[in-house]
Amino acid sequence: MLLTITTTRSPATDLGWLLHKHPERTQSFDLTFGQAHIFYPEVTDERCTAALLLDVDPVGLARRDRAPEMLAQYVNDRPYVASSFMSVAISQVLGSALGGNCRLKPELAEEPLPLVAKLAVVPCRRGGEGFLRKLFEPLGYAVTATRHPLDTQFPEWGESPYFTVVLTATVRVAELLSHLYVLVPVLDDEKHYWVTHDEVEKLLRHGEGWLATHPEKEQITARYLKRQGKLVKSALAGMAADDGTDPDEVAADQDLAEERLEAKVSLHERRLATVLAVLQEAGVKRVLDLGCGEGKLLRLLATDPRFTEVVGLDVSVRSLEIARQRLDRQRLFDGQRERVKLLHGALTYRDARLEGFDAAAVVEVIEHLDPPRLEAFSRVMFGCTRPGLVILTTPNREYNVKFEGLPAGKFRHADHRFEWTRAEFADWCNSVCSQHSYTVRLSPLGDEDPILGGPSQMAVFTRG
Ligand code: SAH
């Protein structure tokens, strides 16, 4: 990952004073996720460029004890793109400049300078170039964005979410760094760590003076704080205090139910990424997604050519319609589209269309079945459909005490018929295995609590 910052204000080498990094030297810094290097590829009085190069160690990341599932793969985009790692590097390596301090030339830190920042690769997830512009243009930047194709050899695969971005403005160095610090992770819409209340404080500190009046402040705050409802509300209230709005009014604007749902989305995304990784590692080709709902997992399966046939089944016609529309909207090239089929059906009845597949995913479905129907489900699933691999996930009830706002004894969703503890899930899995000759491996899903376990749990059954 590479960020360069250029100034043309003469003497341009003053940039070295502002960044507290000598233009004649290359300096390297150890960070928890790899190394950061600072060097100057261009040093003249007319033009000076500083480069921040991040060398992110993907293997180290994947091996970290509590690495989110999204990172639990050695091959990910983290080493190459501007992400929250860049923000961490800015604060640790260019901390004084970010804070607006310049010991030897304090007046320089106060002065808006002609600056050009270039980010080699920025993922603009959800919103693309339009959103990129909405973030930076209100702050006075001229934005140039060059989108990269998914694969230069296969233009028919379409565009990737990755852009090379050049931002030009006359601003203080501290302002530029604060804008990058906050907005790059917002564009990436992915964080390498779980957000806590500290992040609210960081957002307010680095957003001071510009975020409260930014037209996209709600979106920025929601994405920066990973849509954690309570944190978003507290940050917006903090900003409202900054711009004179009534904080209670802001808080009242937030729809609680939606927030809770949104916070769940990120757990759900992680859950789906884990299920996908298990399927990929198993090397299966023909896959069922049973109780596919609105087709979130299907969308992931559709784009991986290793899955030659993908069938989604659900009892809800409405969900299937939405899944169909989403697949239609997805940029799939010829051949990808035909591999995915949707079927209407129920998991509690034998269905010959589902037989002969390599694997089945049953993600957050069994808790929607009435307990007496569960027996029919396991008979059909493990006795008749009988794929070589079955991946099944369900909430872990023990974790519910950690969900604020969920009254004791209540389930997470109105349609859940039961939620199991880890022991109850293990008992059920073991009895399925002994009746139908499968073996099972159980694991937690999501950030694990040392006592309560993960928010969700996964069983991977292999036919014996
Ligand atoms: N697997 C999806 C959806 C989970 S919600 C996801 O992870 O996003 C549970 C889904 O199971 C709903 O779409 C519901 O319609 C479906 N479902 C519930 N009972 C079912 C049954 N008996 N047969 C098939 N699908 C069922």
Side-chain angles (χ1 to χ4, degrees):
M1 199 301 300
L2 184 67
L3 160 71
T4 60
I5 298 175
T6 303
T7 186
T8 46
R9 176 197 170 281
S10 179
T13 47
D14 274 351
L15 191 60
W17 294 113
L18 280 161
L19 298 179
H20 291 238
K21 297 287 173 289
H22 200 292
E24 302 294 326
R25 273 195 280 151
T26 294
Q27 295 185 51
S28 300
F29 303 84
D30 286 328
L31 302 172
T32 52
F33 49 80
Q35 277 208 314
H37 310 279
I38 297 258
F39 57 96
Y40 288 74
E42 190 175 24
V43 186
T44 66
D45 272 354
E46 294 71 48
R47 216 180 132 84
C48 184
T49 299
L52 168 64
L53 176 73
L54 281 197
D55 194 4
V56 175
D57 167 17
V59 176
L61 277 182
R63 288 190 180 151
R64 270 210 322 224
D65 288 357
R66 294 165 64 90
E69 287 86 347
M70 289 293 278
L71 293 176
Q73 300 164 18
Y74 290 175
V75 182
N76 58 52
D77 68 0
R78 299 296 90 183
Y80 313 107
V81 305
S83 67
S84 49
F85 290 131
M86 200 196 76
S87 305
V88 174
I90 288 178
S91 75
Q92 298 200 357
V93 176
L94 301 173
S96 306
L98 175 66
N101 302 315
C102 183
R103 233 180 5 239
L104 288 165
K105 302 199 175 193
E107 69 291 350
L108 260 185
E110 293 303 317
E111 187 183 328
L113 308 176
L115 295 174
V116 180
K118 181 172 177 185
L119 292 150
V121 187
V122 187
C124 299
R125 297 189 216 282
R126 285 174 259 200
E129 183 177 340
F131 187 56
L132 170 76
R133 291 185 179 281
K134 278 190 189 169
L135 292 186
F136 285 98
E137 285 176 348
L139 298 167
Y141 292 92
V143 178
T144 314
T146 313
R147 190 169 192 168
H148 298 289
L150 260 183
D151 190 316
T152 42
Q153 288 192 8
F154 300 101
E156 66 276 19
W157 287 16
E159 306 276 27
S160 74
Y162 300 107
F163 288 77
T164 295
V165 175
V166 180
L167 304 165
T168 309
T170 300
V171 284
R172 289 186 296 117
V173 166
E175 283 173 321
L176 170 67
L177 293 176
S178 311
H179 298 153
L180 294 174
Y181 179 97
V182 172
L183 298 179
V184 164
V186 165
L187 279 167
D188 183 28
D189 210 12
E190 186 66 63
K191 275 205 149 200
H192 65 278
Y193 49 87
W194 201 239
V195 291
T196 59
H197 212 275
D198 297 351
E199 294 297 308
V200 174
E201 185 274 325
K202 285 184 201 159
L203 179 66
L204 292 177
R205 181 149 44 92
H206 297 298
E208 200 181 338
W210 61 273
L211 187 52
T213 52
H214 195 294
E216 296 297 324
K217 78 171 173 193
E218 277 88 8
Q219 272 271 14
I220 294 171
T221 306
R223 283 184 178 217
Y224 186 92
L225 297 169
K226 270 300 204 186
R227 301 179 176 80
Q228 303 279 306
K230 279 185 83 176
L231 300 185
V232 172
K233 202 187 274 188
S234 135
L236 287 172
M239 275 177 244
D242 213 23
D243 73 357
T245 323
D246 178 355
D248 287 343
E249 223 171 84
V250 176
D253 278 353
Q254 307 287 315
D255 181 330
L256 259 178
E258 192 183 327
E259 278 168 16
R260 206 181 292 144
L261 205 75
E262 292 242 308
K264 241 181 122 178
V265 166
S266 80
L267 168 63
H268 195 48
E269 282 174 359
R270 297 171 64 180
R271 187 188 279 133
L272 295 175
T274 306
V275 171
L276 179 69
V278 174
L279 289 168
Q280 287 168 333
E281 274 161 31
V284 293
K285 292 186 180 344
R286 301 179 64 230
V287 179
L288 297 166
D289 181 7
L290 302 176
C292 62
E294 297 175 359
K296 292 197 179 106
L297 181 62
L298 292 175
R299 282 167 61 95
L300 301 173
L301 295 168
T303 45
D304 187 332
R306 284 175 285 188
F307 303 117
T308 56
E309 189 178 349
V310 176
V311 170
L313 174 129
D314 205 285
V315 76
S316 154
V317 174
R318 178 76 195 121
S319 295
L320 288 170
E321 276 168 10
I322 296 172
R324 159 76 50 221
Q325 286 162 9
R326 290 197 169 160
L327 284 164
D328 287 343
R329 275 205 303 271
Q330 202 175 0
R331 289 165 160 268
L332 296 176
F333 54 89
D334 287 349
Q336 278 188 326
R337 189 70 198 78
E338 287 75 64
R339 296 202 322 269
V340 186
K341 281 197 210 75
L342 295 177
L343 299 177
H344 182 226
L347 286 173
T348 41
Y349 295 95
R350 182 171 186 170
D351 188 334
R353 297 172 299 177
L354 306 180
E355 286 163 28
F357 279 76
D358 302 329
V362 194
V363 178
E364 306 292 288
V365 175
I366 55 166
E367 63 277 8
H368 292 267
L369 304 176
D370 279 325
R373 305 299 296 144
L374 203 58
E375 176 55 32
F377 163 78
S378 51
R379 212 172 39 241
V380 169
M381 179 79 253
F382 297 95
C384 308
T385 311
R386 234 178 134 63
L389 182 76
V390 179
I391 306 169
L392 205 142
T393 78
T394 195
N396 165 20
R397 190 179 76 220
E398 291 161 88
Y399 196 90
N400 285 359
V401 292
K402 292 200 38 144
F403 289 122
E404 287 176 45
L406 183 66
K410 284 267 181 209
F411 297 142
R412 298 177 197 183
H413 189 286
D415 189 49
H416 284 182
R417 309 303 159 91
F418 61 90
E419 283 174 1
W420 275 334
T421 61
R422 284 168 291 175
E424 285 166 334
F425 187 41
D427 280 352
W428 180 80
C429 293
N430 289 331
S431 103
V432 162
C433 287
S434 57
Q435 285 176 54
H436 301 285
S437 71
Y438 273 79
T439 53
V440 70
R441 189 163 47 86
L442 291 161
S443 50
L445 280 176
D447 282 339
E448 216 183 331
D449 177 277
I451 295 164
L452 304 167
S456 191
Q457 41 188 343
M458 174 171 75
V460 178
F461 295 89
T462 311
R463 201 174 48 208

